[in-house]
Each structure stands twice: as C-alpha cells, then as structure tokens.
Amino acid sequence: MPILLDRIFLRTADELVLQLSAEAYRGSKVQLWLFEDLPKRVSVRAELGALGVHAQVFSAYKPLVHFFLDEIDSSGLTHARIEYPRHAACAENRFLLEAYPLTGLFPDVEIEFVAAPDVSEQSCYRLDLRYADRTEAHEVFAPNVMQTDFLGKAVYAPSAWLKTGHCAGGTPVAAEYQLACQEVMSAVMGHEWGKTEPYFKRLTIDMVLPGIERRLACGHEHMSTSEAMHEEIYFSLLEYFQHYSGRAAGSRGLQPGQIVPLVHLDNDGTPRIQISFEAAEHNKSQAPFQPPALDTRQIEGDAPDLAQVDRPLTIAQVERSLQALPGRHFAEASQQGRAVNVVYLAGDLPAVLISGAQHANETSGVVGSLRAAAQLKTRPGAHFALMPLENPDGYALHQALCVEHPAHMHHAARYTALGDDIEYREQAPWYEREARRRALAISGAQLHLNLHGYPAHEWIRPCTGYLPRGFEAWSIPKGFFLIARFKPDYKETALSLLEHLTRQLSADTRLMSYNTEQLRRYQRYVALPPFQVRHGIPYTASEAPGQGPGITLITEFPDETLCGPGFSFAHTVQMQTVLLASEWWWANAPKRQGGA
C-alpha cells in the first residue's frame, strides 16, 4: 500500500526537560502544561527538581478538571465559585463545557459557575474555594492558541505551554500531540486524490502517542487523549474531503472511502505516525454494475438470549437472531460484500419498518429491535419489516476497533465503507440503501422506527477548538432522546405519537431517574438546550418533506462505549419504545397508510 507519511516525533516532555536543564534555569521556577498523564507530569517535576529547577507541571488537556483532581485538597471543600473565561473566537459556553463533569465528580460540593465579565485574550479560570475552616483563591490557566486550521478557519485550541521567569506570560509549545494532527492533515492534503469518489478504498492513520486515559467517577465519563485524537483526525479528514469535493460543509453524501484512525496510547515508547492507503477500484468499463456476491449459508448455532446481552452483538449473533424470526427473509449486499439482512412479516395491521445501526457505532438499537420483534411477531395481524443491522461494514470496523479501545466512541465506524451516511446516499450503486428501499416498498410502511445512539461520555475535538464541530449539541449526554420527522400531512399524527410515547415511557421509574440526572447535569453546562422536554423525555419534532415514509421516529440513547448493565438498560429502553410505538401505530395509523 502507498505510504503518505512515516514519521517519528520527539516527546515534548523530554525535550522540555532537556531545554530546562541548561545552566540558565538552575534555581528558577517554571510552569509547564503538557498533554501527559499524572505519572509523567510527576516524573517531569522530579527530573527538573533534581536539576535545581522548581517546576509545576499541569495538564494542557481539560486543565480545570485536572486541577481539581490532582492539585487541590477536596476534603472538607463545601463550596466552589468558578469564574470561567470567555473568548471572542469561541462559543459563549466553551470554557464552561470544558469544566464538565466537575459537578458530577464532586456532588457534595456546591459548585457555582459564573461567566467572566469580559472577553479576554488569555484564558484563565478564577476559583474561590470555601472549606469548613478556610477559604482559598486560585487561578487556573487554560493554555490555548489562536491558529488557522486546515480549512483556513480561525480556531482557539488547547496547546502545551511554558512559563518561566524570562517570560511571565509564557509561550505556547507545539507538543507532539498538536504536531501529529497537523502532520496528518498536511500529508493528506498534499496528495493528489483525483476527481472521482471514492478517492481511496481505505485510508489508515496509524499513530502511537503518549497521553491520558483516565476513568472518572461520574457516569461513563473518562478522559482520553487517544480517543480525542481519533475523533479529531476522522472528522477533520471528512471536513477536508467535503471541501476537496466541492460539497457543502457537513455533507453526508460524500463518499471519500473508509477513513480509519488507529490511535495507540503508549506512555513509554516513541511517538510516531504512519499513513497508508489502499487505492480505490474505479470501474472504467461500461459493463453494468454487479453487486458483491453474498454468502447465503445459514449461520450455525443458537441465537443468544437477547434479554441477557450486556455488550454489542457480533454480526453472526445478529444473523442467528434474525433467522429465528418468521417471515420473508431477503438481503442486499454492502459495499464490502456483507449482507444487510431483512425479515418481512406480512399482516393485516398498518406496517412498521424497524431498523438499527444506520450509524454502526450506535449498537443498543440492534439488540432492542431484535427483542421487540420477538414480541411483536406474536401479535395477531402483526405487520413489520425488521432490518437490525443496516450498516454491516461499519459494524465490522467498530468491532475491530473495540478490541483495543472498548470504551471509545469510534466514530470512524459511524458511516459506511464508502464514507457516507446510508440515509444520504445520492446515487447508484445503492448497496446498503437498497435494503431500506425494498423494505419500505414491500411493506408500504409509513412509520419508520430508526434506532440510534450517541456518546455516553463527553465528545471533544481538541485541535480544532474543543467542541465537535457540526455536532456541538451532542457534546455531552442528555439522556434518552426522541427525534420525530414527518411529512406535512402527518404532523398531527407524529405529535400524537410523541405525546403517547413520552407519557408511557415516563412510567418507567428507572428511565425517569436516569433522564432526570442526565438532564440536570447537562443543563449546568448548556444554558439554552436545543430541545424540548415532555414527560421527562427530551425531543425535537420537525417537518421533513421528500422521499421516505410519512413519519420517521429516531431514538437516541447515549450508548456509545456502553457495556455491562448500562448496555442492557439501553437496549431495554430501545425495545420498550419500539413496542409502544408499534402498538400505538397499529391502533391509530391514518387510513391513507399503505400495505402489502
């Protein structure tokens, strides 16, 4: 495979120790901010201390959270007033969000967030801490630099930093973490990719970096610089290829090929990057398109006990569970030749289409849809089409990525092997999209229950300004969420369905407790939530004229990274929603609903 880049980096922490070992720094005081975990920061401080340099070494990554965890005495702390900075280049609540999830980490401390009265050029949190026997005041520097990103946009992004007596304000340091991202973008942007999508079959960015992997005692939160780099590289490359193709920013119809960042955490090795790609295979002849051949053999073995499943199913387990359902079975081929399996159960009632894993790193809907179908099939007259795993190529990548990092979001597995979102595919060959089209055509369904998920912990992009660009509203969890999209003449039906679902789901005390806690925490960091709440369930509702069924109901459970009891709870809620929505639809669907 062609190699675009193969480079080794010097570790910034070690470079700075070497720099500060010079005679000129003996007896001086310095402050460092690094993308390093606590053991390395302690080690750097000790090394410099042995050289006669008094050093304070802080984290450049979420500095306020690390300051609370590593620097202050939290025993006896009763109240914290935190004035967070504002910057003209950032969202108003950028540095408030960067303080997440302090309120969850210190539930017994009354934490008050206050916006700084003025916009400043350097970012600094100001803390007033109250203990039973004393008060303390601190300033926590949040090192950021204004820079121009790969699209020419001005961003204010976290940076390593050095403060010495020679320069009171300090100077930014280009750490290996920042340089790695810049090198990836430069190498990819410097290659001539041609004018025909896909530009490659697979683009692999293999990185080894030191950093932070730290579980937090708050929900499913953790801090991971390697996960953040995966997200940064994947979405930055999508943005670049959207620009390269001439498409609008955020276009989900783009088909660059499969982008796979592999970010390995190594706090003892040498930082390095290797970028390689497998060339796309463009059919230059005029022969008709031939879809990949499907393996139609029955999967051997018993279907799993879905109620007991506590982690994402394998593709084989999904297929075994689907084969156990009665009805007409058919399949379409994915771009990589995997089967997109569908079962259609014909009946007298108005049809429903149920699907999961359009975004393949959102896995609870796969199990929830299968569990719901196993119950719906016993209903007299039941009429539904089920497609539990719509994006098998992405799902296979997700399972591979989870071997090393089971607690990461892995958004590189979100879209298909072509790099697009199935729902937004623009032209033939349709591959996976054909399965949804056939399911809708055969069933005549005017209700699509499309089961999704989103991150169960904070989602950030540290090299392009912190918040995930284009997905800011999904940066922190907000509980189980519903999205209703409807054609204009289905508006009243859709709103009635939403009312029914939210009212019925509110009877689930565990779900209500879960959502109440998630929303309470979310609203501490987001002043104006971009949604409404009905019966304890956040939701949005909007018209979506065009192709497709009359109503699409999208579920959103914060399931990315879940396993264990949390995953079981997630797919149980998904199942309950499908059961409630289907029963309501069978009793209340408009008479214009079709069928087959």
Side-chain angles (χ1 to χ4, degrees):
M1 287 193 293
I3 303 295
L4 287 185
L5 180 69
D6 193 347
R7 179 175 171 185
I8 291 175
F9 291 84
L10 295 175
R11 191 168 182 174
T12 305
D14 297 336
E15 285 190 285
L16 286 171
V17 169
L18 183 61
Q19 174 186 333
L20 296 171
S21 65
E23 185 65 34
Y25 292 100
R26 298 290 169 88
S28 66
K29 295 181 178 181
V30 302
Q31 292 181 312
L32 302 175
W33 284 261
L34 301 169
F35 292 92
E36 296 278 6
D37 66 0
L38 181 59
K40 182 63 174 179
R41 286 185 273 124
V42 170
S43 172
V44 168
R45 185 169 66 229
E47 287 183 69
L48 289 173
L51 295 169
V53 180
H54 177 72
Q56 292 178 291
V57 188
F58 304 108
S59 174
Y61 184 84
K62 292 184 73 70
L64 180 69
V65 174
H66 277 102
F67 187 81
F68 266 82
L69 291 173
D70 301 336
E71 305 295 334
I72 69 167
D73 175 13
S74 60
S75 61
L77 180 63
T78 60
H79 182 274
R81 183 184 186 275
I82 301 173
E83 182 181 283
Y84 61 88
R86 296 184 296 138
H87 192 278
C90 303
E92 182 75 13
N93 66 335
R94 145 70 198 278
F95 286 97
L96 175 57
L97 278 166
E98 200 165 333
Y100 178 84
L102 273 183
T103 53
L105 291 172
F106 299 93
D108 297 327
V109 178
E110 182 183 350
I111 297 180
E112 175 189 5
F113 292 114
V114 180
D118 301 307
V119 172
S120 62
E121 288 305 309
Q122 273 208 340
S123 306
C124 186
Y125 293 92
R126 292 179 172 81
L127 315 183
D128 291 314
L129 306 181
R130 187 185 309 155
Y131 296 82
D133 57 350
R134 69 189 189 281
T135 60
E136 294 181 5
H138 298 273
E139 288 193 351
V140 178
F141 181 49
N144 281 255
V145 292
M146 280 299 305
Q147 59 192 34
T148 301
D149 75 0
F150 56 92
L151 293 177
K153 296 182 178 181
V155 296
Y156 192 55
S159 174
W161 207 271
L162 169 64
K163 287 185 179 182
T164 69
H166 303 284
C167 180
T171 55
V173 175
E176 75 284 301
Y177 193 82
Q178 300 156 274
L179 291 172
C181 185
Q182 293 167 13
E183 288 286 333
V184 169
M185 297 310 299
S186 295
V188 172
M189 292 170 65
H191 184 75
E192 177 50 55
W193 294 104
K195 300 300 181 184
T196 304
E197 299 176 19
Y199 304 118
F200 43 83
K201 190 172 183 180
R202 181 171 176 140
L203 175 64
T204 303
I205 303 92
D206 201 325
M207 311 176 74
V208 175
L209 290 171
I212 300 162
E213 191 78 32
R214 185 170 188 171
R215 181 80 170 85
L216 298 178
C218 174
H220 300 280
E221 296 298 332
H222 78 274
M223 293 185 287
S224 171
T225 52
S226 54
E227 179 184 46
M229 182 61 77
H230 173 107
E231 299 297 311
E232 187 65 75
I233 294 299
Y234 177 67
F235 283 101
S236 291
L237 288 173
L238 275 186
E239 289 174 347
Y240 168 66
F241 283 111
Q242 286 161 1
H243 172 76
Y244 179 85
S245 71
R247 295 169 183 268
S251 169
R252 296 192 185 189
L254 171 76
Q255 294 183 333
Q258 193 169 47
I259 300 169
V260 184
L262 304 173
V263 186
H264 314 283
L265 180 71
D266 187 346
N267 281 321
D268 298 312
T270 301
R272 66 169 179 81
I273 305 174
Q274 185 180 81
I275 305 176
S276 60
F277 71 94
E278 188 176 351
E281 298 172 357
H282 295 294
N283 184 5
K284 298 181 180 180
S285 73
Q286 297 303 310
F289 168 73
Q290 294 294 323
L294 278 173
D295 184 349
T296 57
R297 292 173 300 175
Q298 291 286 300
I299 301 296
E300 299 297 327
D302 296 327
D305 181 353
L306 295 172
Q308 303 303 315
V309 167
D310 65 355
R311 63 199 64 246
L313 297 172
T314 66
I315 292 178
Q317 287 175 321
V318 175
E319 292 184 8
R320 286 199 296 270
S321 298
L322 196 63
Q323 288 171 2
L325 293 171
R328 174 183 171 186
H329 289 255
F330 64 90
E332 295 290 339
S334 73
Q335 193 270 342
Q336 292 180 341
R338 295 183 176 88
V340 184
N341 290 295
V342 184
V343 62
Y344 171 56
L345 184 63
D348 299 329
L349 295 169
V352 180
L353 171 62
I354 306 162
S355 69
Q358 173 186 323
H359 300 151
N361 63 327
E362 303 166 7
T363 54
S364 66
V366 175
V367 186
S369 66
L370 288 164
R371 290 183 67 191
Q375 295 190 44
L376 292 176
K377 71 179 183 181
T378 64
R379 171 78 147 82
H383 189 187
F384 63 86
L386 171 66
M387 181 172 52
L389 208 173
E390 191 172 13
N391 179 7
D393 294 346
Y395 200 86
L397 176 61
H398 181 255
Q399 298 232 308
L401 292 172
C402 283
V403 171
E404 181 175 1
H405 294 301
H408 289 188
M409 295 176 282
H410 299 307
H411 276 114
R414 174 182 172 89
Y415 295 154
T416 72
L418 286 169
D420 63 348
D421 190 328
I422 295 169
E423 186 167 336
Y424 297 85
R425 185 157 292 165
E426 298 170 350
Q427 61 187 15
W430 298 107
Y431 296 116
E432 302 92 339
R433 178 65 183 270
E434 183 64 13
R436 184 187 294 194
R437 187 204 66 78
R438 280 186 67 187
L440 286 169
I442 291 170
S443 66
Q446 290 297 334
L447 174 63
H448 180 190
L449 303 177
N450 192 350
L451 310 187
H452 282 250
Y454 69 100
H457 61 247
E458 187 182 23
W459 175 11
I460 68 174
R461 284 179 57 186
C463 298
T464 44
Y466 192 79
L467 295 179
R469 201 154 54 188
F471 297 92
E472 292 87 349
W474 301 97
S475 61
I476 58 176
K478 48 183 174 280
F480 179 62
F481 193 101
L482 294 174
I483 300 171
R485 295 174 182 160
F486 47 83
K487 292 181 178 178
D489 56 344
Y490 277 84
K491 178 178 180 179
E492 294 306 317
T493 305
L495 295 180
S496 295
L497 173 58
L498 266 178
E499 169 60 27
H500 173 78
L501 280 177
T502 55
R503 187 175 66 251
Q504 292 297 313
L505 288 168
S506 70
D508 184 333
T509 55
R510 183 181 178 187
L511 177 60
M512 286 301 97
S513 176
Y514 175 83
N515 264 22
T516 297
E517 174 60 23
Q518 291 248 320
L519 285 168
R520 184 191 65 78
R521 192 178 301 145
Y522 178 89
Q523 289 164 351
R524 292 296 304 272
Y525 300 90
V526 182
L528 296 173
F531 53 79
Q532 296 176 278
V533 178
R534 182 178 293 184
H535 303 301
I537 307 291
Y539 75 95
T540 63
S542 60
E543 286 190 4
Q547 299 296 314
I551 301 172
T552 297
L553 182 78
I554 298 171
T555 64
E556 295 280 4
F557 197 102
D559 65 349
E560 292 175 22
T561 73
L562 291 189
C563 63
F567 186 75
S568 300
F569 174 51
H571 64 70
T572 297
V573 172
Q574 300 274 25
M575 174 193 69
Q576 290 172 339
T577 306
V578 172
L579 295 174
L580 288 168
S582 298
E583 288 288 354
W584 185 91
W585 184 254
W586 288 340
N588 297 280
K591 297 301 180 183
R592 59 182 171 272
Q593 156 76 16

